[in-house]
Amino acid sequence: MDPETHLNSTPLRRRTSSTAEFNAIPAHVYPQSLRRETAGERQGEVTIGGVPIAEIAETFGTPAFVMDEEDFRARCRRLAKAFGGGHYVHYASKAFLSKTVARWVMEEGLSLDVASLGELQVALAAGFPAERITVHGNNKSPEFLRLAVSEGAELIVVDSLQEIEALSTVAGELGKSQDVLVRVTPGVHVDTHEFIATSHEDQKFGFSLASGAAHRAAMACHTADGVRLRGLHCHVGSQVFEASGFALAAERLLGLWKQLLDSTAALSDAPTSLDTLDLGGGYGIAYMPDQEALDVEEVASDLKSKVRKAAEAAGVPVPKLNVEPGRAIAGPSMITLYRVGTVKDVEVADGMTRRYISVDGGMSDNIRPALYQAEYDCRVANREVAGELLPTRIVGSHCESGDVLVNDALVPDDVRPGDLLMIGATGAYCYAMASRYNMMTRPPVVRVADGEARLMIRRETIDDVLALEE
């Protein structure tokens, strides 16, 4: 099944306008196998990967992350096809990484990018081939660089002059040569949250294009011992749905590319090896019913065409184009499952009453609403509901007034303690950014496929926490 098709789909609206619409499930927000059963003994219940939600909750407890394996794999395949091959698509492991996920990415033929020593160690532990790994990070330790070089990482994206020098030293000590990209901040501003925009000048990543720092860094790579300059990298931000921002960044980077070709031509003893343009990730997904899903094929076709035209305009060979989707693969493939606890009505201004529905997780398993004001869709998963819609907040169990998962929704008034709530599109950054605030341990991650549910990552326990203490 295509990830964008689904049973029980609803019109694109920010909030549900009827109880029937609340019971229906917006196809483009949830995993492809998720559906509400319309007949039989499970009528009204939600299943995912052929497994009833209630059965998952009974077996693995709540809260729990539940990932649709085939949905994840299908998105890998779709992106690989759209961009002309899996080796051009580097899954951004920061979105969500485990040994199982690394193996899925490997089996679907994609490459991988890592942004820390720990991510690299997990990837290698999963048997992921280092020659398909790109290494990121603005503050790479000597240990991180040494492991990447010694294992034969495909590319290291350098982020400072200090790093270029350190990398040259490590490569020399190991008797190796390391291919690199220079991370450039091209001054392209996309419409996204301030904290996830990464292409403006005043931030920690990369070398400024406008100031000439990017050119100086590239030339430093070109002349450094043990370092081979392969190309340029940038990342314009996150939750981007159109190719225009990426295309403008490509145009500016290819202008620098031309300068580098001209500069290195004067160094007859050091021919250039430029061949790779990496435009990063940041492709958006639908979190809410009124948001449209990313048209992967359209964006890929548009971007490849614009890169080709930009290369022709700059008078340089068309580079190999790499992209780094993470959220666009993992995000829609997962839901978070909670059990309802306290249900409380609170009188607020102007005589209005708001219902607060508390669940057994919260900001420790999804910090994004508190951090980015991120919005999520929620539905009752164990049955169809029949009550009247009420203004509602879905909140967690933490000792924080900001522990809000869904800030403003219309939810039927017959939701009761013990019901199961699911929140869609939680595959990216939720488990990855999870904490143990209030000593609420991290939930398990459950994989579902072909009517079977299995643990991918077990639930953290208090014994795990206490074992860290001396």
Side-chain angles (χ1 to χ4, degrees):
M1 182 188 297
D2 184 276
E4 306 308 330
T5 63
H6 197 289
L7 298 178
N8 305 326
S9 61
T10 61
L12 299 181
R13 294 193 186 96
R14 172 64 34 160
R15 307 200 308 180
T16 53
S17 61
S18 69
T19 301
E21 189 177 305
F22 182 87
N23 284 320
I25 297 168
H28 55 302
V29 175
Y30 288 84
Q32 65 178 30
S33 71
L34 188 143
R35 66 197 66 228
R36 194 179 297 279
E37 299 299 321
T38 58
E41 63 179 18
R42 295 285 186 181
Q43 182 174 352
E45 290 187 41
V46 171
T47 61
I48 179 171
V51 184
I53 289 285
E55 185 179 301
I56 294 172
E58 181 178 352
T59 303
F60 301 101
T62 57
F65 294 102
V66 184
M67 174 166 275
D68 181 342
E69 177 180 345
E70 179 51 33
D71 186 283
F72 185 99
R73 288 180 178 271
R75 292 176 192 278
C76 289
R77 293 192 293 269
R78 187 178 178 192
L79 278 154
K81 183 178 180 180
F83 281 98
H87 52 290
Y88 298 120
V89 180
H90 292 61
Y91 172 67
S93 61
K94 66 177 182 176
F96 173 64
L97 183 65
S98 69
K99 290 195 297 184
T100 299
V101 162
R103 292 187 190 112
W104 292 349
V105 172
M106 176 175 60
E107 291 163 3
E108 296 301 334
L110 272 61
S111 295
L112 189 72
D113 88 50
V114 300
S116 72
L117 175 60
E119 288 178 356
L120 178 58
Q121 290 169 325
V122 170
L124 295 173
F128 202 96
E131 63 271 18
R132 285 162 52 189
I133 295 177
T134 295
V135 176
H136 288 270
N138 66 297
N139 186 33
K140 302 180 189 72
S141 66
E143 181 185 8
F144 189 12
L145 291 174
R146 182 172 292 275
L147 181 62
V149 175
S150 64
E151 292 292 331
E154 178 186 6
L155 293 163
I156 293 179
V157 181
V158 295
D159 204 87
S160 68
L161 293 175
Q162 176 182 318
E163 182 185 338
I164 296 168
E165 182 178 347
L167 180 58
S168 178
T169 299
V170 167
E173 291 172 353
L174 294 173
K176 293 197 171 190
S177 179
Q178 177 62 53
D179 289 356
V180 303
L181 305 178
V182 171
R183 180 157 182 169
V184 180
T185 51
V188 176
H189 296 264
V190 294
D191 185 16
T192 189
H193 193 283
E194 175 189 358
F195 291 175
I196 53 177
T198 54
S199 190
H200 55 83
E201 302 287 346
D202 188 9
Q203 47 103 12
K204 72 176 186 176
F205 293 109
F207 297 92
S208 164
L209 179 64
S211 70
H215 183 273
R216 292 191 293 273
M219 293 305 296
C221 290
H222 186 70
T223 57
D225 293 335
V227 175
R228 188 168 76 130
L229 178 63
R230 284 275 307 282
L232 304 174
H233 174 281
C234 77
H235 185 79
V236 299
S238 297
Q239 275 298 89
V240 183
F241 288 86
E242 297 178 350
S244 56
F246 298 106
L248 179 56
E251 181 181 324
R252 294 184 180 181
L253 263 63
L254 288 172
L256 172 60
W257 193 291
K258 173 62 174 172
Q259 294 175 28
L260 292 172
L261 289 177
D262 292 343
S263 298
T264 57
L267 303 176
S268 57
D269 60 334
T272 182
S273 52
L274 287 172
D275 66 1
T276 302
L277 179 66
D278 189 329
L279 293 180
Y283 301 103
I285 65 170
Y287 285 98
M288 299 293 290
D290 69 329
Q291 297 172 337
E292 294 186 9
L294 178 72
D295 188 327
V296 171
E297 291 76 17
E298 181 179 341
V299 169
S301 176
D302 191 20
L303 183 56
K304 288 188 292 184
S305 174
K306 288 177 176 175
V307 168
R308 187 165 50 250
K309 291 177 181 177
E312 292 170 356
V316 301
V318 179
K320 182 178 78 169
L321 175 62
N322 286 353
V323 293
E324 299 170 351
R327 184 198 316 261
I329 296 174
S333 301
M334 185 182 284
I335 63 169
T336 308
L337 183 61
Y338 301 99
R339 191 172 296 279
V340 174
T342 300
V343 177
K344 179 168 61 176
D345 292 335
V346 176
E347 293 184 9
V348 295
D350 301 323
M352 173 186 169
T353 297
R354 189 191 305 279
R355 175 155 291 181
Y356 281 74
I357 296 177
S358 299
V359 297
D360 53 357
M363 64 194 304
S364 61
D365 58 70
N366 190 351
I367 192 62
R368 295 186 70 255
L371 190 60
Y372 305 131
Q373 296 78 54
E375 295 182 288
Y376 285 90
D377 183 79
C378 72
R379 308 284 159 150
V380 174
N382 58 302
R383 64 185 178 95
E384 288 189 318
V385 285
E388 296 184 3
L389 298 178
L390 284 180
T392 302
R393 280 186 179 147
I394 311 299
V395 298
S397 298
H398 294 280
C399 191
E400 288 281 343
S401 59
D403 181 23
V404 177
L405 293 169
V406 178
N407 186 57
D408 182 25
L410 292 174
V411 177
D413 63 5
D414 60 335
V415 176
R416 56 181 180 252
D419 277 335
L420 297 172
L421 285 187
M422 61 181 183
I423 290 182
T426 58
Y429 303 106
C430 291
Y431 188 89
M433 299 174 77
S435 73
R436 292 199 305 266
Y437 183 46
N438 288 152
M439 288 299 170
M440 291 177 62
T441 55
R442 294 176 180 90
V445 180
V446 180
R447 57 188 281 197
V448 293
D450 301 323
E452 184 180 5
R454 289 184 289 166
L455 269 181
M456 181 189 300
I457 303 173
R458 70 167 174 81
R459 185 181 302 278
E460 190 177 46
T461 68
I462 287 297
D463 286 341
D464 293 327
V465 177
L466 293 174
L468 297 174
E469 296 196 26
E470 295 294 337

